[in-house]
Amino acid sequence: MRLLRKKLAKQYQTVSDTSRQQIERRPYIVPLLGLVLGFIIVAGILAGHKGITKPSDAHVVFLTDKGDRTVLDTKAATVGELLDKLNLNLLAEDVIEPSRETPIPEDNFRINIYRARPVTVIDSGNKMVTLTAQKSARVVAQKAGLSLQPEDVANFTPGSLAENIIGEKVVVSRATEVRLNLYGAALTTYTQAKNVGDLLKEKKIDLAEGETVQPSQATAITPNMEVFVLRKDAKLVNVEETIPVPEEIVNDGTLSFGTTVVRQSGAPGKKTVTYLIQADSAGNELARTAIHETVTTAAVPQITARGSAVAVTGDRTSLMAAASIASSDYNYVNYIVSRESSWRTNAAGSPPGAYGLCQAYPGSKMSTAGADWQTNPVTQLRWCSGYAQSRYGGWAGAYNFWSSNHYW
């Protein structure tokens, strides 16, 4: 046994001496062996990875829901596809960021789910409860059906038992509507300002030297108030003016056609008109523009009843039909002809030379309608109808003129 050990030791020493001599003669062998060993190690690692179960088209996703974060491996192509597989019982009011249509292109992709909760929206004392996941108070109010001006403000505040509100509330502060007249241009604007001075600051209106504002900057803002910004060569004046009597016409079937009766006497009213006056450097007025008016005394309308009962005899309607006059105009024709000539074909009136049913002046004008114009009522009516059309646009217009002026 001892002889065997001595023999092996002697052989190992011989091999070792030989290897050392080889390395000394060929120093590049050690780095080469290291490089080969490195390749072997890398190949082993890659081969080991073949046993991992994650597919090459899967991605790591960080999903946050109700404040809890979950790490998922998924092959879903989009956010919506992933959520559908998870069966999270989402409501329509829940908010998903990014949207369901968003692709999942890479690892460490983040998805946030915001669950809807009841929020009480308060607008001018009116309360409504909405289910929402929105983080913007303004969006919550709009989703609740409110229409907001850009100047309206919405804020989240906690509810209280005293208000019988559990959870969050959104309080809407409505801006005040103001009529702003800027150098003669009338504008409607909305503001959260408390006084006129704050309004000017909010709207970034800087008064130049000599420019003024009415009312004063210390005046409190009230709904629909008027604020005037005036150049140094402009001023406002108030003038009291008369409002004409309005007239109302009502048709009355108990009165003969064309008869009028005043049922209520009218009375003029009064109004105060605010004018913007433009003046030159000497103070002389160059122009004025009415920018506002206030009725101080309302005008009382005059109500006039106008008869609409028809009383055209058969022979007259046959004449008008023969002259191709529309039946809807018979009342107007009868009214005018009855007062001009009492339906006498040879009626001669004033001024001298007026002649016929509708008192053409001179009567010879009617010859354009026919040679028998002096004796034929149908010929005369044809000419009268053309006259009414050319001058008044028809018999209705002629009737309205005759009613006001008693001639045509």
PDB file of all heavy atoms in Angstrom, residues 191-214:
ATOM      1  N   THR A 191     -68.207  86.687 -12.420  1.00  0.00           N
ATOM      2  CA  THR A 191     -67.091  87.005 -11.538  1.00  0.00           C
ATOM      3  C   THR A 191     -67.309  86.450 -10.140  1.00  0.00           C
ATOM      4  O   THR A 191     -68.445  86.302  -9.684  1.00  0.00           O
ATOM      5  CB  THR A 191     -66.889  88.529 -11.472  1.00  0.00           C
ATOM      6  OG1 THR A 191     -65.782  88.811 -10.605  1.00  0.00           O
ATOM      7  CG2 THR A 191     -68.121  89.228 -10.931  1.00  0.00           C
ATOM      8  N   GLN A 192     -66.193  86.171  -9.472  1.00  0.00           N
ATOM      9  CA  GLN A 192     -66.195  85.829  -8.047  1.00  0.00           C
ATOM     10  C   GLN A 192     -65.798  87.039  -7.209  1.00  0.00           C
ATOM     11  O   GLN A 192     -65.721  86.941  -5.982  1.00  0.00           O
ATOM     12  CB  GLN A 192     -65.208  84.684  -7.779  1.00  0.00           C
ATOM     13  CG  GLN A 192     -65.575  83.351  -8.422  1.00  0.00           C
ATOM     14  CD  GLN A 192     -66.668  82.624  -7.674  1.00  0.00           C
ATOM     15  OE1 GLN A 192     -66.975  82.941  -6.529  1.00  0.00           O
ATOM     16  NE2 GLN A 192     -67.277  81.638  -8.333  1.00  0.00           N
ATOM     17  N   ALA A 193     -65.578  88.181  -7.864  1.00  0.00           N
ATOM     18  CA  ALA A 193     -65.149  89.386  -7.151  1.00  0.00           C
ATOM     19  C   ALA A 193     -66.237  89.876  -6.207  1.00  0.00           C
ATOM     20  O   ALA A 193     -67.432  89.706  -6.462  1.00  0.00           O
ATOM     21  CB  ALA A 193     -64.788  90.480  -8.154  1.00  0.00           C
ATOM     22  N   LYS A 194     -65.814  90.513  -5.113  1.00  0.00           N
ATOM     23  CA  LYS A 194     -66.753  91.033  -4.125  1.00  0.00           C
ATOM     24  C   LYS A 194     -67.123  92.491  -4.380  1.00  0.00           C
ATOM     25  O   LYS A 194     -68.179  92.951  -3.959  1.00  0.00           O
ATOM     26  CB  LYS A 194     -66.153  90.907  -2.719  1.00  0.00           C
ATOM     27  CG  LYS A 194     -65.823  89.470  -2.328  1.00  0.00           C
ATOM     28  CD  LYS A 194     -67.049  88.571  -2.396  1.00  0.00           C
ATOM     29  CE  LYS A 194     -66.723  87.140  -1.977  1.00  0.00           C
ATOM     30  NZ  LYS A 194     -67.879  86.233  -2.126  1.00  0.00           N
ATOM     31  N   ASN A 195     -66.252  93.237  -5.073  1.00  0.00           N
ATOM     32  CA  ASN A 195     -66.562  94.634  -5.382  1.00  0.00           C
ATOM     33  C   ASN A 195     -66.030  94.978  -6.770  1.00  0.00           C
ATOM     34  O   ASN A 195     -65.357  94.158  -7.415  1.00  0.00           O
ATOM     35  CB  ASN A 195     -65.988  95.580  -4.317  1.00  0.00           C
ATOM     36  CG  ASN A 195     -64.487  95.410  -4.126  1.00  0.00           C
ATOM     37  OD1 ASN A 195     -63.730  95.376  -5.097  1.00  0.00           O
ATOM     38  ND2 ASN A 195     -64.050  95.297  -2.882  1.00  0.00           N
ATOM     39  N   VAL A 196     -66.344  96.198  -7.210  1.00  0.00           N
ATOM     40  CA  VAL A 196     -65.988  96.609  -8.575  1.00  0.00           C
ATOM     41  C   VAL A 196     -64.476  96.633  -8.761  1.00  0.00           C
ATOM     42  O   VAL A 196     -63.955  96.244  -9.821  1.00  0.00           O
ATOM     43  CB  VAL A 196     -66.605  97.987  -8.883  1.00  0.00           C
ATOM     44  CG1 VAL A 196     -66.099  98.520 -10.226  1.00  0.00           C
ATOM     45  CG2 VAL A 196     -68.132  97.901  -8.890  1.00  0.00           C
ATOM     46  N   GLY A 197     -63.749  97.071  -7.741  1.00  0.00           N
ATOM     47  CA  GLY A 197     -62.294  97.099  -7.857  1.00  0.00           C
ATOM     48  C   GLY A 197     -61.709  95.714  -8.077  1.00  0.00           C
ATOM     49  O   GLY A 197     -60.819  95.522  -8.918  1.00  0.00           O
ATOM     50  N   ASP A 198     -62.216  94.731  -7.324  1.00  0.00           N
ATOM     51  CA  ASP A 198     -61.745  93.346  -7.512  1.00  0.00           C
ATOM     52  C   ASP A 198     -62.123  92.822  -8.889  1.00  0.00           C
ATOM     53  O   ASP A 198     -61.391  92.024  -9.489  1.00  0.00           O
ATOM     54  CB  ASP A 198     -62.330  92.451  -6.426  1.00  0.00           C
ATOM     55  CG  ASP A 198     -61.753  92.744  -5.047  1.00  0.00           C
ATOM     56  OD1 ASP A 198     -60.679  93.364  -4.984  1.00  0.00           O
ATOM     57  OD2 ASP A 198     -62.386  92.375  -4.037  1.00  0.00           O
ATOM     58  N   LEU A 199     -63.286  93.247  -9.400  1.00  0.00           N
ATOM     59  CA  LEU A 199     -63.698  92.844 -10.746  1.00  0.00           C
ATOM     60  C   LEU A 199     -62.695  93.325 -11.783  1.00  0.00           C
ATOM     61  O   LEU A 199     -62.302  92.572 -12.683  1.00  0.00           O
ATOM     62  CB  LEU A 199     -65.087  93.401 -11.059  1.00  0.00           C
ATOM     63  CG  LEU A 199     -65.564  93.251 -12.509  1.00  0.00           C
ATOM     64  CD1 LEU A 199     -65.756  91.778 -12.863  1.00  0.00           C
ATOM     65  CD2 LEU A 199     -66.861  94.009 -12.739  1.00  0.00           C
ATOM     66  N   LEU A 200     -62.271  94.573 -11.669  1.00  0.00           N
ATOM     67  CA  LEU A 200     -61.297  95.104 -12.623  1.00  0.00           C
ATOM     68  C   LEU A 200     -59.981  94.326 -12.561  1.00  0.00           C
ATOM     69  O   LEU A 200     -59.374  94.026 -13.593  1.00  0.00           O
ATOM     70  CB  LEU A 200     -61.045  96.584 -12.343  1.00  0.00           C
ATOM     71  CG  LEU A 200     -62.250  97.531 -12.488  1.00  0.00           C
ATOM     72  CD1 LEU A 200     -61.825  98.963 -12.213  1.00  0.00           C
ATOM     73  CD2 LEU A 200     -62.873  97.418 -13.866  1.00  0.00           C
ATOM     74  N   LYS A 201     -59.558  93.969 -11.337  1.00  0.00           N
ATOM     75  CA  LYS A 201     -58.324  93.204 -11.193  1.00  0.00           C
ATOM     76  C   LYS A 201     -58.487  91.805 -11.793  1.00  0.00           C
ATOM     77  O   LYS A 201     -57.601  91.310 -12.483  1.00  0.00           O
ATOM     78  CB  LYS A 201     -57.946  93.104  -9.722  1.00  0.00           C
ATOM     79  CG  LYS A 201     -57.546  94.428  -9.089  1.00  0.00           C
ATOM     80  CD  LYS A 201     -57.247  94.249  -7.607  1.00  0.00           C
ATOM     81  CE  LYS A 201     -56.915  95.586  -6.939  1.00  0.00           C
ATOM     82  NZ  LYS A 201     -56.690  95.426  -5.476  1.00  0.00           N
ATOM     83  N   GLU A 202     -59.633  91.190 -11.521  1.00  0.00           N
ATOM     84  CA  GLU A 202     -59.879  89.836 -12.028  1.00  0.00           C
ATOM     85  C   GLU A 202     -59.862  89.807 -13.544  1.00  0.00           C
ATOM     86  O   GLU A 202     -59.335  88.875 -14.166  1.00  0.00           O
ATOM     87  CB  GLU A 202     -61.219  89.333 -11.497  1.00  0.00           C
ATOM     88  CG  GLU A 202     -61.573  87.928 -11.936  1.00  0.00           C
ATOM     89  CD  GLU A 202     -62.957  87.522 -11.458  1.00  0.00           C
ATOM     90  OE1 GLU A 202     -63.091  87.136 -10.283  1.00  0.00           O
ATOM     91  OE2 GLU A 202     -63.910  87.606 -12.256  1.00  0.00           O
ATOM     92  N   LYS A 203     -60.458  90.831 -14.171  1.00  0.00           N
ATOM     93  CA  LYS A 203     -60.531  90.884 -15.634  1.00  0.00           C
ATOM     94  C   LYS A 203     -59.319  91.579 -16.246  1.00  0.00           C
ATOM     95  O   LYS A 203     -59.274  91.786 -17.456  1.00  0.00           O
ATOM     96  CB  LYS A 203     -61.810  91.604 -16.069  1.00  0.00           C
ATOM     97  CG  LYS A 203     -63.093  90.969 -15.530  1.00  0.00           C
ATOM     98  CD  LYS A 203     -63.205  89.510 -15.906  1.00  0.00           C
ATOM     99  CE  LYS A 203     -64.468  88.878 -15.320  1.00  0.00           C
ATOM    100  NZ  LYS A 203     -64.562  87.434 -15.611  1.00  0.00           N
ATOM    101  N   LYS A 204     -58.346  91.940 -15.393  1.00  0.00           N
ATOM    102  CA  LYS A 204     -57.108  92.576 -15.847  1.00  0.00           C
ATOM    103  C   LYS A 204     -57.391  93.862 -16.637  1.00  0.00           C
ATOM    104  O   LYS A 204     -56.838  94.098 -17.724  1.00  0.00           O
ATOM    105  CB  LYS A 204     -56.278  91.601 -16.678  1.00  0.00           C
ATOM    106  CG  LYS A 204     -55.767  90.408 -15.882  1.00  0.00           C
ATOM    107  CD  LYS A 204     -54.925  89.474 -16.737  1.00  0.00           C
ATOM    108  CE  LYS A 204     -54.263  88.399 -15.886  1.00  0.00           C
ATOM    109  NZ  LYS A 204     -55.178  87.647 -15.024  1.00  0.00           N
ATOM    110  N   ILE A 205     -58.280  94.686 -16.068  1.00  0.00           N
ATOM    111  CA  ILE A 205     -58.608  95.986 -16.669  1.00  0.00           C
ATOM    112  C   ILE A 205     -57.872  97.064 -15.873  1.00  0.00           C
ATOM    113  O   ILE A 205     -58.189  97.304 -14.708  1.00  0.00           O
ATOM    114  CB  ILE A 205     -60.120  96.251 -16.654  1.00  0.00           C
ATOM    115  CG1 ILE A 205     -60.854  95.166 -17.453  1.00  0.00           C
ATOM    116  CG2 ILE A 205     -60.432  97.636 -17.212  1.00  0.00           C
ATOM    117  CD1 ILE A 205     -62.354  95.271 -17.382  1.00  0.00           C
ATOM    118  N   ASP A 206     -56.870  97.659 -16.485  1.00  0.00           N
ATOM    119  CA  ASP A 206     -56.101  98.732 -15.845  1.00  0.00           C
ATOM    120  C   ASP A 206     -56.585 100.078 -16.378  1.00  0.00           C
ATOM    121  O   ASP A 206     -56.540 100.324 -17.587  1.00  0.00           O
ATOM    122  CB  ASP A 206     -54.605  98.567 -16.116  1.00  0.00           C
ATOM    123  CG  ASP A 206     -54.052  97.266 -15.528  1.00  0.00           C
ATOM    124  OD1 ASP A 206     -54.493  96.899 -14.424  1.00  0.00           O
ATOM    125  OD2 ASP A 206     -53.199  96.633 -16.177  1.00  0.00           O
ATOM    126  N   LEU A 207     -57.050 100.927 -15.474  1.00  0.00           N
ATOM    127  CA  LEU A 207     -57.531 102.239 -15.889  1.00  0.00           C
ATOM    128  C   LEU A 207     -56.361 103.141 -16.235  1.00  0.00           C
ATOM    129  O   LEU A 207     -55.442 103.334 -15.429  1.00  0.00           O
ATOM    130  CB  LEU A 207     -58.365 102.869 -14.772  1.00  0.00           C
ATOM    131  CG  LEU A 207     -59.647 102.117 -14.374  1.00  0.00           C
ATOM    132  CD1 LEU A 207     -60.346 102.827 -13.227  1.00  0.00           C
ATOM    133  CD2 LEU A 207     -60.570 101.970 -15.568  1.00  0.00           C
ATOM    134  N   ALA A 208     -56.389 103.682 -17.451  1.00  0.00           N
ATOM    135  CA  ALA A 208     -55.365 104.642 -17.855  1.00  0.00           C
ATOM    136  C   ALA A 208     -55.678 106.001 -17.239  1.00  0.00           C
ATOM    137  O   ALA A 208     -56.754 106.223 -16.656  1.00  0.00           O
ATOM    138  CB  ALA A 208     -55.302 104.738 -19.373  1.00  0.00           C
ATOM    139  N   GLU A 209     -54.744 106.906 -17.366  1.00  0.00           N
ATOM    140  CA  GLU A 209     -54.936 108.240 -16.794  1.00  0.00           C
ATOM    141  C   GLU A 209     -56.167 108.911 -17.413  1.00  0.00           C
ATOM    142  O   GLU A 209     -56.327 108.938 -18.631  1.00  0.00           O
ATOM    143  CB  GLU A 209     -53.700 109.099 -17.056  1.00  0.00           C
ATOM    144  CG  GLU A 209     -53.783 110.493 -16.433  1.00  0.00           C
ATOM    145  CD  GLU A 209     -52.536 111.311 -16.678  1.00  0.00           C
ATOM    146  OE1 GLU A 209     -51.570 110.762 -17.256  1.00  0.00           O
ATOM    147  OE2 GLU A 209     -52.521 112.483 -16.296  1.00  0.00           O
ATOM    148  N   GLY A 210     -57.035 109.392 -16.576  1.00  0.00           N
ATOM    149  CA  GLY A 210     -58.231 110.071 -17.034  1.00  0.00           C
ATOM    150  C   GLY A 210     -59.429 109.148 -17.211  1.00  0.00           C
ATOM    151  O   GLY A 210     -60.556 109.620 -17.333  1.00  0.00           O
ATOM    152  N   GLU A 211     -59.232 107.836 -17.237  1.00  0.00           N
ATOM    153  CA  GLU A 211     -60.346 106.907 -17.372  1.00  0.00           C
ATOM    154  C   GLU A 211     -61.036 106.713 -16.028  1.00  0.00           C
ATOM    155  O   GLU A 211     -60.400 106.800 -14.962  1.00  0.00           O
ATOM    156  CB  GLU A 211     -59.867 105.565 -17.924  1.00  0.00           C
ATOM    157  CG  GLU A 211     -59.347 105.656 -19.346  1.00  0.00           C
ATOM    158  CD  GLU A 211     -58.910 104.312 -19.894  1.00  0.00           C
ATOM    159  OE1 GLU A 211     -58.686 103.370 -19.095  1.00  0.00           O
ATOM    160  OE2 GLU A 211     -58.776 104.199 -21.131  1.00  0.00           O
ATOM    161  N   THR A 212     -62.334 106.418 -16.071  1.00  0.00           N
ATOM    162  CA  THR A 212     -63.117 106.277 -14.850  1.00  0.00           C
ATOM    163  C   THR A 212     -63.959 105.009 -14.913  1.00  0.00           C
ATOM    164  O   THR A 212     -64.145 104.424 -15.985  1.00  0.00           O
ATOM    165  CB  THR A 212     -64.049 107.485 -14.645  1.00  0.00           C
ATOM    166  OG1 THR A 212     -64.923 107.608 -15.790  1.00  0.00           O
ATOM    167  CG2 THR A 212     -63.256 108.770 -14.478  1.00  0.00           C
ATOM    168  N   VAL A 213     -64.471 104.616 -13.759  1.00  0.00           N
ATOM    169  CA  VAL A 213     -65.369 103.475 -13.678  1.00  0.00           C
ATOM    170  C   VAL A 213     -66.571 103.893 -12.846  1.00  0.00           C
ATOM    171  O   VAL A 213     -66.450 104.586 -11.845  1.00  0.00           O
ATOM    172  CB  VAL A 213     -64.671 102.240 -13.061  1.00  0.00           C
ATOM    173  CG1 VAL A 213     -64.161 102.525 -11.655  1.00  0.00           C
ATOM    174  CG2 VAL A 213     -65.616 101.041 -13.052  1.00  0.00           C
ATOM    175  N   GLN A 214     -67.730 103.487 -13.305  1.00  0.00           N
ATOM    176  CA  GLN A 214     -68.976 103.734 -12.584  1.00  0.00           C
ATOM    177  C   GLN A 214     -69.726 102.427 -12.431  1.00  0.00           C
ATOM    178  O   GLN A 214     -69.862 101.688 -13.416  1.00  0.00           O
ATOM    179  CB  GLN A 214     -69.849 104.757 -13.322  1.00  0.00           C
ATOM    180  CG  GLN A 214     -69.255 106.141 -13.405  1.00  0.00           C
ATOM    181  CD  GLN A 214     -70.204 107.128 -14.080  1.00  0.00           C
ATOM    182  OE1 GLN A 214     -71.381 106.833 -14.307  1.00  0.00           O
ATOM    183  NE2 GLN A 214     -69.698 108.290 -14.421  1.00  0.00           N
TER     184      GLN A 214
END
